[in-house]
């Protein structure tokens, strides 16, 4: 179990997913408490974070959308960037609509917003086939703690920003300028619900191909799972999700992004999570491909995968706040080795940074990377910089325990380095990692600039040909997420904080972008 801050420690409900692994409860963070200290911003307003010029004036009214319910004009809201017109989304979007980038307009979720209706376990005539399109530069905020976006099965999201105009999902307190670099847990998050295969069923069974689960903490059905591993829940590209992770109910909270049973037809790239009070992103089953992922300040795991996820991830930065967060990666299932598909993640070119260890949170996963249950992980071309923590823990359960394959991976850990639990010993974990072979090193001195850009020592490590793993991967000439100071794939669309600074073209996470 994971330790709650200021909440009673209890077990997960059978029908609700927990915030980290199926057996676990994650830290909910502040639950929406903030310190009143307006963010100042560091950019000019043209970058992803925005500087907050104070010159925004409200639109005269709300744009027209195709859904007959329309947008509700909820007056104006004023913060450091100026005054905005608040246009509230309907609780259920029943027709395909577009949220346009309109000067002086913010879009609000006043509670749960459903994109279409759940069309059921398999595609059928009951699918509503609704698509929510969001234009570059649009800002959507959660007006209450229990606000969240549910893209139901048989429906899609089309949220495509740009490097200079990302789409931003954030909280009301962020709009008001009340947040600091430690604020978190102020609204729910974005949930994609698909029909790909999952395990650890809440209803149905793997054997009968009827396995389904329910979104964590949701009071009403928000189901996912099916038999179509190529299912398509839409596209999200150049998107920031800030200050998420509110506890919806049952001591369960959402992440910034929660793809649940999504299929390989779903496109995810250039996604940033900032200060989620749970995980940066958690993947529940399905087949997921993700490139260019940034998680900063997650209060639980920066990347989590459960219940039969099969995923390919390339180019990532996982950066935790000093004294906060749990594992950088948690890859697990419930240990049901008889369940298929077996969880299998392949990860290349990640830089993972844990500047200090939280005594309250780190004890949960016990290492920067935890792999357990019915899970296999392949990690290549990556850097783990956690000088005060153990690097890798393998937990062996069942007849076929979790496995690790590493190639061109370097570690900067405390003296213990490896942990083994269950049927694994620390020595077996060290053997699985294989320092001294395949360009793996468990004694490495980082020379990272700005905390995440490669220096001389990183450049000296020969990379592994990641493209040999699958056609999804490219084969870079370097390890880690960022080649050097000239590599700026995150510039403009990732926002700045005291935890990670992404340069002058990005603005502050505590301020809204203005264009």
């Amino acid at each position: 179990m994971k330790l709650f801050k200021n909440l009673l420690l209890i077990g997960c409900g059978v029908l609700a997913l927990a915030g980290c692994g199926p057996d676990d409860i994650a830290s909910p963070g502040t639950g929406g408490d903030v310190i009143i200290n307006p963010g100042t911003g560091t950019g000019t307003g043209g970058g992803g974070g925005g500087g907050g010029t104070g010159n925004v004036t409200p639109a005269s009214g709300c744009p027209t959308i195709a859904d007959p319910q329309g947008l509700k004009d909820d007056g104006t809201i004023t913060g450091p960037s100026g005054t905005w017109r608040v246009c509230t989304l309907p609780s259920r979007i029943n027709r395909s609509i577009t949220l346009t980038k309109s000067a002086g307009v913010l879009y609000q979720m006043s509670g749960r917003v459903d994109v279409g209706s759940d069309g059921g376990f398999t595609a059928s005539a009951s699918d509503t086939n609704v698509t929510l399109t969001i234009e570059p530069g649009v800002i959507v905020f959660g007006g209450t703690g229990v606000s969240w976006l549910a893209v139901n099965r048989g429906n899609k999201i089309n949220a495509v920003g740009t490097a200079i105009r990302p789409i931003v999902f954030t909280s009301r307190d962020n709009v008001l300028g009340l947040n600091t670099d430690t604020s978190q847990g102020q609204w729910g998050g974005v949930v994609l619900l698909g029909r790909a295969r999952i395990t650890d069923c809440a209803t149905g069974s793997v054997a009968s191909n009827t396995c389904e689960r329910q979104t964590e903490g949701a009071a009403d059905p928000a189901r996912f799972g099916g038999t179509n591993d190529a299912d398509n829940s839409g596209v999200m590209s150049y998107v920031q999700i800030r200050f998420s992770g509110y506890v919806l109910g049952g001591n369960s909270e959402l992440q910034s992004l929660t793809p649940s049973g999504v299929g390989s037809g779903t496109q995810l790239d250039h996604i940033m999570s900032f200060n989620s009070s749970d995980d940066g992103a958690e993947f529940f089953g399905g087949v997921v491909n993700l490139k260019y992922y940034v998680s900063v300040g997650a209060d639980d795991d920066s990347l989590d995968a459960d219940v039969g996820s099969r995923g390919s991830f390339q180019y990532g930065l996982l950066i935790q706040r000093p004294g906060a967060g749990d594992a950088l990666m948690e890859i697990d299932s419930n240990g049901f080795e008889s369940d298929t598909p077996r969880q299998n993640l392949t990860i290349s070119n990640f830089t993972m940074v844990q500047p200090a260890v939280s005594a309250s949170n780190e004890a949960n996963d016990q290492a920067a990377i935890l792999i357990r249950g019915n899970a296999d992980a392949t990690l290549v071309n990556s850097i783990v910089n956690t000088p005060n923590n153990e690097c890798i823990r393998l937990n062996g359960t069942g007849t076929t325990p979790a496995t690790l394959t590493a190639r061109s991976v370097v570690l900067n850990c405390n003296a213990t380095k490896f942990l083994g639990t269950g049927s694994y010993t620390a020595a077996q974990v060290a053997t699985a990692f294989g320092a001294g072979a395949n360009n793996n090193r468990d004694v490495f001195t980082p020379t990272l600039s700005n905390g995440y850009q490669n220096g001389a020592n990183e450049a000296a490590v020969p990379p592994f040909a990641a493209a040999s793993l699958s056609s999804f991967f490219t084969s870079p000439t370097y390890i880690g997420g960022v080649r050097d100071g000239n590599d700026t794939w995150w510039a403009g669309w990732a926002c700045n904080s005291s935890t990670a600074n992404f340069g002058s073209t990005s603005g502050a996470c505590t301020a809204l972008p203005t264009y």
Side-chain angles (χ1 to χ4, degrees):
M1 290 187 178
K2 293 196 170 181
L3 184 63
F4 267 100
K5 297 172 185 174
N6 303 322
L7 289 177
L8 181 66
L9 182 65
I10 67 171
C12 290
V14 173
L15 298 182
L17 297 177
C20 46
D23 286 319
D24 297 331
I25 292 175
S27 164
T30 65
D33 295 336
V34 296
I35 301 169
I36 299 176
N37 183 7
T40 58
T42 58
T44 62
T53 64
N55 295 326
V56 173
T57 57
S60 58
C62 294
T64 300
I65 60 174
D67 193 295
Q69 296 181 79
L71 296 167
K72 181 184 177 185
D73 187 338
D74 271 325
T76 61
I77 188 169
T78 300
S81 57
T83 301
W84 305 78
R85 176 70 53 191
V86 177
C87 300
T88 299
L89 297 169
S91 61
R92 187 176 300 276
I93 299 168
N94 292 304
R95 292 186 186 175
S96 295
I97 65 169
T98 297
L99 302 185
T100 59
K101 177 66 179 89
S102 301
V105 168
L106 296 178
Y107 297 95
Q108 176 181 225
M109 296 179 290
S110 60
R112 171 175 167 177
V113 172
D114 285 279
V115 177
S117 298
D118 181 7
F121 187 78
T122 58
S124 68
S126 64
D127 281 349
T128 52
N129 295 308
V130 166
T131 297
L132 170 63
T133 298
I134 305 177
E135 291 187 345
V138 163
I139 300 171
V140 182
F141 74 94
T144 66
V146 295
S147 300
W148 59 291
L149 183 69
V151 181
N152 289 298
R153 291 183 295 193
N155 303 277
K156 296 178 182 178
I157 189 170
N158 181 32
V160 180
T162 68
I164 60 173
R165 290 196 174 192
I167 293 163
V168 177
F169 290 91
T170 191
S171 67
R172 183 175 184 271
D173 283 354
N174 195 187
V175 176
L176 292 171
L178 303 179
N179 283 355
T180 71
D181 282 345
T182 61
S183 300
Q184 59 181 9
Q186 297 173 345
W187 66 290
V190 178
V191 181
L192 308 181
L193 303 159
R195 292 187 172 121
R197 290 180 297 160
I198 63 172
T199 64
D200 303 60
C201 315
T203 61
S205 70
V206 169
S208 63
N209 287 321
T210 56
C211 187
E212 291 182 288
R213 290 185 69 89
Q214 159 76 348
T215 297
E216 53 186 9
D220 298 315
R223 298 187 181 95
F224 61 93
T227 60
N228 181 13
D229 284 344
D231 194 35
N232 184 353
S233 296
V235 55
M236 293 182 68
S237 180
Y238 292 105
V239 174
Q240 287 180 24
I241 307 174
R242 308 176 179 179
F243 307 110
S244 65
Y246 190 84
V247 179
L248 294 182
N251 291 328
S252 295
E253 63 274 53
L254 295 177
Q255 292 65 233
S256 290
L257 178 64
T258 310
S260 303
V262 303
S264 59
T266 307
Q267 179 186 333
L268 300 173
D269 64 83
H270 299 88
I271 307 291
M272 181 184 188
S273 164
F274 179 72
N275 277 24
S276 169
S277 71
D278 194 35
D279 304 319
E282 184 166 10
F283 302 87
F284 288 99
V287 179
V288 182
N289 299 312
L290 171 65
K291 276 188 177 174
Y292 302 111
Y293 170 61
V294 178
S295 175
V296 174
D299 204 45
D300 192 22
D301 309 316
S302 298
L303 187 151
D304 197 344
D306 304 294
V307 301
S309 288
R310 290 142 291 148
S312 298
F313 305 97
Q314 189 169 29
Y315 304 116
L317 297 174
L318 309 182
I319 305 172
Q320 292 188 341
R321 284 177 285 146
D326 194 0
L328 289 160
M329 285 188 188
E330 181 179 301
I331 302 169
D332 67 356
S333 195
N334 255 354
F336 298 153
E337 280 79 10
S338 60
D339 275 2
T340 56
R342 183 174 169 93
Q343 183 153 301
N344 194 323
L345 263 63
T346 305
I347 299 158
S348 180
N349 294 97
F350 269 55
T351 297
M352 296 169 268
V353 179
Q354 202 171 43
V357 175
S358 164
S360 61
N361 270 354
E362 186 274 336
N364 300 317
D365 285 347
Q366 302 174 19
I369 297 175
L370 168 62
I371 307 168
R372 66 179 172 185
N374 187 22
D376 302 316
T378 299
L379 181 64
V380 305
N381 299 330
S382 292
I383 300 163
V384 181
N385 184 19
T386 179
N388 301 304
N389 195 10
E390 294 82 6
C391 273
I392 299 173
R393 174 187 164 207
L394 288 180
N395 182 44
T397 59
T399 56
T400 309
T403 66
L404 169 67
T405 300
R407 301 288 186 269
S408 297
V409 176
V410 298
L411 309 178
N412 179 32
C413 327
N414 67 16
T416 302
K417 301 180 188 178
F418 304 105
L419 291 175
T421 51
S423 62
Y424 280 125
T425 66
Q428 288 173 314
V429 179
T431 299
F433 176 75
N438 299 308
N439 297 312
N440 296 326
R441 304 178 188 177
D442 63 2
V443 178
F444 184 77
T445 301
T447 54
L448 298 167
S449 60
N450 294 324
Y452 56 87
Q453 293 169 297
N454 286 359
N457 289 358
E458 291 78 20
V461 179
F464 174 79
S468 65
L469 300 172
S470 82
S471 60
F472 171 78
F473 294 100
T474 59
S475 289
T477 58
Y478 57 93
I479 68 167
V482 180
R483 181 184 66 245
D484 54 31
N486 296 314
D487 184 6
T488 58
W489 56 258
W490 33 261
W493 61 271
C495 60
N496 292 331
S497 66
S498 57
T499 304
N501 191 309
F502 294 106
S504 61
T505 60
S506 295
C509 299
T510 52
L512 298 188
T514 56
Y515 307 106

